[in-house]
Amino acid sequence: MHGSQPCDVEFWFEFGSNYSYLSAMRIEDAAQQLAVRVVWKPFLLGPILRALGMQTSPFVLQKEKGAYVWRDMERQCRKYRLRWQRPSTFPRVSVLPLRVALIGAGEPWIGAFCRRVMELNFVLDQDINQADRLASILTELGLAASNILTEAQAEPAKQQLRQQTEEARSRGIFGAPTFFVGTEMFWGNDRLDDALRFASQRA
Amino acid sequence: MHGSQPCDVEFWFEFGSNYSYLSAMRIEDAAQQLAVRVVWKPFLLGPILRALGMQTSPFVLQKEKGAYVWRDMERQCRKYRLRWQRPSTFPRVSVLPLRVALIGAGEPWIGAFCRRVMELNFVLDQDINQADRLASILTELGLAASNILTEAQAEPAKQQLRQQTEEARSRGIFGAPTFFVGTEMFWGNDRLDDALRFASQRA
């Protein structure tokens, strides 16, 4: 990892997180330009926030910050040329797509799958925790949807997501998206480019 | 304001706020390059945070976020080529320098004064609420330090800072720095460049 190859960047994300949407849509292209490899790290943000004393997103708990965030998202999406529709339900339950993402984390389809789920939430304003919608996405990607969804709904996948979330907490993650390059942590979509540059300079 | 001249950017800041430090050091040069005028808006962050249910900075209340923020500041200061020393007291009481800044807000010395106070806090790790230290700064800037400090310690200046803080709250400000271009709000040093670009495009 510290040899002649660029470092990996770990991308810790949540399908319910709007700022994770911005990063999920951009990270593969941006990383490729710097020859950095992306390691996809889906986790559950809810238990992390609850451990910090928050029962839901700070964008719901703090009305002033919440009001600001939706305006900020409009501007950010325009800046990055991403489509955007404010979700009518926020934050959306994301357990099932996160388990699918864990199964696909090392597969070539992970990026495309995550972008489709993010668009379901933040462009099409649809529930993302429905097996049939995820099956459509997986099928469109040429994958064996029913096998993957059966695996995602079995106990080992549930346990794996709990473990990954516990790892997030133990590494000091307090929000999403978060990036790690080795032990160096970067928080928020606003640090994506810094994290990638840091990874590429360690090459 | 909406005519042939570029729009102003209002810079709402606090001397105790580390992310305000990053913006205070950069804003005049960055604004000048885009022919945008900076309107300095000092305010007290403490009462705003208390109104949101926080007794002190979230970087103190949330240990994980706090640990991250100091590392982030090191990296950000390196990126912007700013000096940095983590303050041994955080957040520092800033009432007196904020009152001086209110007096100087329309004066040509406001930028230089604010940068000196910020450096006292975030580079020299010194108390910033001391009249003698502020007097030194004002004298070095060629100003009548004792007149300004007498004015800053009188009742109208105290009242003015309370009013400005109330205006911050009523406009939906929940953190510092915050930028306004007309009614368009931008939160955080990470949005300084977006705010300036927005102002210059409205010219």
Side-chain angles (χ1 to χ4, degrees), chain B residues 181-199:
Chain B
V181 179
T183 57
E184 196 80 10
M185 179 170 135
F186 298 82
W187 172 49
N189 176 65
D190 292 325
R191 293 288 176 278
L192 170 56
D193 298 304
D194 287 352
L196 292 174
R197 207 173 306 120
F198 187 86

Side-chain angles (χ1 to χ4, degrees), chain A residues 19 22 52 54 62-66 68-69 71-72 75-76 78-79 169 172-174 184-191 194 197-198, chain B residues 19 22 52 54 62-66 68-69 71-72 75-76 78-79 169 172-174 184-191 194 197-198:
Chain A
Y19 288 112
L22 298 180
L52 295 169
M54 288 175 267
Q62 278 190 32
K63 129 177 112 55
E64 291 81 0
K65 190 179 275 187
Y68 171 76
V69 157
R71 181 70 186 128
D72 189 51
R75 289 191 308 235
Q76 293 283 297
R78 203 177 309 140
K79 178 172 160 179
R169 200 203 51 74
I173 287 177
F174 54 85
E184 197 80 9
M185 180 170 135
F186 298 82
W187 172 50
N189 177 66
D190 291 326
R191 293 288 175 278
D194 286 353
R197 208 172 304 120
F198 187 85
Chain B
Y19 288 112
L22 298 180
L52 295 170
M54 288 175 268
Q62 279 191 32
K63 128 176 111 56
E64 291 81 0
K65 189 178 273 186
Y68 171 75
V69 157
R71 181 69 186 128
D72 189 50
R75 289 192 308 234
Q76 292 283 296
R78 202 177 309 140
K79 178 172 159 179
R169 201 202 51 73
I173 287 178
F174 53 86
E184 196 80 10
M185 179 170 135
F186 298 82
W187 172 49
N189 176 65
D190 292 325
R191 293 288 176 278
D194 287 352
R197 207 173 306 120
F198 187 86

Side-chain angles (χ1 to χ4, degrees), chain A residues 114-125:
Chain A
C114 291
R115 288 189 291 273
R116 297 286 190 99
V117 176
M118 286 296 197
E119 288 182 330
L120 205 56
N121 193 359
F122 296 107
V123 177
L124 304 172
D125 189 24

Side-chain angles (χ1 to χ4, degrees), chain A residues 69-105:
Chain A
V69 157
W70 302 121
R71 181 70 186 128
D72 189 51
M73 284 300 298
E74 285 176 24
R75 289 191 308 235
Q76 293 283 297
C77 287
R78 203 177 309 140
K79 178 172 160 179
Y80 295 123
R81 299 173 186 276
L82 295 173
R83 290 180 294 164
W84 167 251
Q85 188 176 164
R86 178 177 169 179
S88 53
T89 302
F90 180 85
R92 281 212 160 91
V93 177
S94 55
V95 177
L96 188 56
L98 285 171
R99 286 188 200 134
V100 172
L102 255 179
I103 291 168

Side-chain angles (χ1 to χ4, degrees), chain B residues 49-177:
Chain B
L49 295 180
R50 281 192 292 277
L52 295 170
M54 288 175 268
Q55 289 311 305
T56 182
S57 165
F59 308 157
V60 176
L61 293 174
Q62 279 191 32
K63 128 176 111 56
E64 291 81 0
K65 189 178 273 186
Y68 171 75
V69 157
W70 303 121
R71 181 69 186 128
D72 189 50
M73 284 301 297
E74 286 176 23
R75 289 192 308 234
Q76 292 283 296
C77 287
R78 202 177 309 140
K79 178 172 159 179
Y80 295 123
R81 298 172 187 279
L82 296 172
R83 291 180 294 164
W84 167 252
Q85 189 176 163
R86 178 177 167 177
S88 53
T89 301
F90 181 86
R92 281 209 160 93
V93 176
S94 54
V95 176
L96 188 55
L98 285 172
R99 287 187 200 134
V100 173
L102 255 180
I103 291 167
E107 306 294 333
W109 50 268
I110 182 65
F113 172 77
C114 291
R115 288 188 291 273
R116 297 288 190 97
V117 175
M118 286 295 196
E119 288 181 332
L120 205 57
N121 192 359
F122 296 106
V123 178
L124 303 171
D125 189 24
Q126 302 279 312
D127 192 341
I128 55 174
N129 210 44
Q130 300 290 332
D132 58 343
R133 296 216 171 99
L134 299 174
S136 299
I137 292 175
L138 292 167
T139 303
E140 281 171 35
L141 296 174
L143 302 165
S146 67
N147 292 356
I148 293 171
L149 284 165
T150 301
E151 190 183 340
Q153 285 162 313
E155 195 50 45
K158 295 180 181 179
Q159 184 56 27
Q160 210 190 338
L161 183 57
R162 281 192 291 264
Q163 280 170 357
Q164 180 117 317
T165 300
E166 175 52 29
E167 187 189 337
R169 201 202 51 73
S170 72
R171 288 177 71 179
I173 287 178
F174 53 86

